[in-house]
Amino acid sequence: MELEVRHLRALCAIADTGSLHRAARQLGVAQPSLSTQLRRIEQELGGPLFLRSHTGCRPTPLGRLVLSRARPLMADLHLLVTEARAAASGGAELRIGSTASKALAGWLRRLRAHGRNPSLHMNVSPNALLRMVADGQLDVAFVHEVEGCPLRIPAELRLRVLVEREPQCVSLPVDHPAAVKQEVDLADLAGDRWMIDPTVDGEWDAVQRMFRAARVSPHVLHGDYHTADALVATGEVVTVCQPTRTPRPDMAVRRLKGDPLGVRLLAAARTETDLDGVYPALEEAYGEVARQAPAYREWLERDWLDPGGPLRPPSPALP
């Protein structure tokens, strides 16, 4: 017997469900048929792949080895079918992954205007997105690297730096006493509650270092940044934000004095050709949102924003 795709699919189903009965139901086959198929697979591979008990099935060491190879094959097959269907329907999908950014809408709009068909996968973890690009699950990722917390960049990826150091700002209630200043000292916010998202790679460590350097110890709440925005607006917290964040009537965005917290913005793909196809649109989109943020625009123009044109950052050495 030769192994076929249906055999690998059956093994993955058994492992995922932990039960021959549930796997058979998921695959739409009778349990005795699946049991027979599993015995034949085990005979072909030379040993038991699962330990059966009254509590279900769990992989043996041999089973774990086989599954470690079977799962990527099944994922690649799924991608092959998805991409083939997209190409047959008028154009291959451009799979983009990104952490949060105001530039996303403009980037996607420009790509579509150039005949691309982008899809978007959001994740707070840049490391997870980079791994997905390396594994072929995404074509390109736009991510941030928090200063002092290097990303785990797979060796096979190609990088392009959009901004070497984007200074992070603070969003605070518009009636906060410190909001009258264009630059806010951390000491002025030491008595406030801060909300930080600890699931963002490197964010918690970097903010803690910033507090220690400023010799402040504010009370910190954990939560995602959508929740933080709502709480800032009601005066409950202050929070770190991107300099491209659009101020609102109930929320002010201010630079932190001395720019104590920064991130590097990167685009990553498996080939330079892939980057060439998406980077100019990303550069233009980022420049667009940068110009709409007055304080950030002033900072950028002082360094490397070409007024009316695309961003012209220096070309730093990549890691």
Side-chain angles (χ1 to χ4, degrees), residues 248-264:
R248 302 183 337 200
D250 53 4
M251 180 189 300
V253 175
R254 296 290 183 264
R255 293 275 303 281
L256 287 168
K257 187 175 182 180
D259 295 328
L261 186 65
V263 304
R264 186 168 67 149

Side-chain angles (χ1 to χ4, degrees), residues 29-284:
V29 301
Q31 181 175 334
S33 175
L34 182 59
S35 297
T36 300
Q37 187 179 78
L38 177 58
R39 283 197 298 273
R40 289 175 179 169
I41 296 170
E42 290 177 328
Q43 289 170 3
E44 175 68 19
L45 296 179
L49 302 178
F50 293 93
L51 294 175
R52 287 80 149 179
S53 71
H54 67 281
T55 59
C57 298
R58 70 177 191 275
T60 63
L62 177 60
R64 288 194 293 271
L65 172 63
V66 173
L67 286 165
S68 72
R69 299 298 184 92
R71 291 189 190 281
L73 289 173
M74 296 304 298
D76 286 345
L77 179 62
H78 176 73
L79 289 174
L80 184 153
V81 172
T82 300
E83 291 175 1
R85 287 174 176 169
S89 65
E93 186 178 63
L94 174 65
R95 300 163 302 167
I96 291 175
S98 182
T99 51
S101 172
K102 291 283 289 182
L104 282 177
W107 188 24
L108 298 177
R109 184 176 68 249
R110 285 170 171 81
L111 290 171
R112 291 193 186 98
H114 286 87
R116 307 302 294 271
N117 180 28
S119 65
L120 181 62
H121 177 89
M122 299 295 295
N123 197 312
V124 298
S125 170
N127 282 310
L129 291 170
L130 293 173
R131 188 68 259 167
M132 291 179 72
V133 176
D135 290 343
Q137 299 175 58
L138 293 172
D139 298 307
V140 63
F142 175 41
V143 300
H144 68 278
E145 180 180 60
V146 179
E147 194 169 52
C149 302
L151 295 175
R152 299 185 297 275
I153 300 173
E156 61 267 36
L157 294 188
R158 299 293 177 266
L159 304 179
R160 205 160 292 180
V161 176
L162 177 66
V163 179
E164 179 62 27
R165 188 179 191 274
E166 180 191 73
Q168 300 300 281
C169 293
V170 62
S171 61
L172 60 163
V174 71
D175 58 356
H176 192 289
V180 299
K181 303 177 182 178
Q182 291 305 307
E183 287 190 342
V184 179
D185 195 304
L186 277 172
D188 296 333
L189 306 175
D192 289 278
R193 290 181 295 272
W194 287 67
M195 179 163 277
I196 303 297
D197 188 345
T199 65
V200 178
D201 293 338
E203 190 102 335
W204 174 245
D205 290 340
V207 170
Q208 288 290 83
R209 285 196 300 272
M210 178 180 74
F211 289 156
R212 287 195 296 270
R215 300 179 184 277
V216 297
S217 300
H219 183 63
V220 177
L221 306 177
H222 290 173
D224 65 86
Y225 286 119
H226 293 295
T227 302
D229 277 353
L231 293 179
V232 169
T234 60
E236 290 295 319
V237 302
V238 301
T239 189
V240 172
C241 71
Q242 298 170 3
T244 51
R245 179 76 170 83
T246 304
R248 302 183 337 200
D250 53 4
M251 180 189 300
V253 175
R254 296 290 183 264
R255 293 275 303 281
L256 287 168
K257 187 175 182 180
D259 295 328
L261 186 65
V263 304
R264 186 168 67 149
L265 301 182
L266 308 166
R270 290 184 298 281
T271 69
E272 291 292 342
T273 300
D274 288 339
L275 283 173
D276 289 340
V278 300
Y279 185 79
L282 175 59
E283 191 179 45
E284 290 178 8

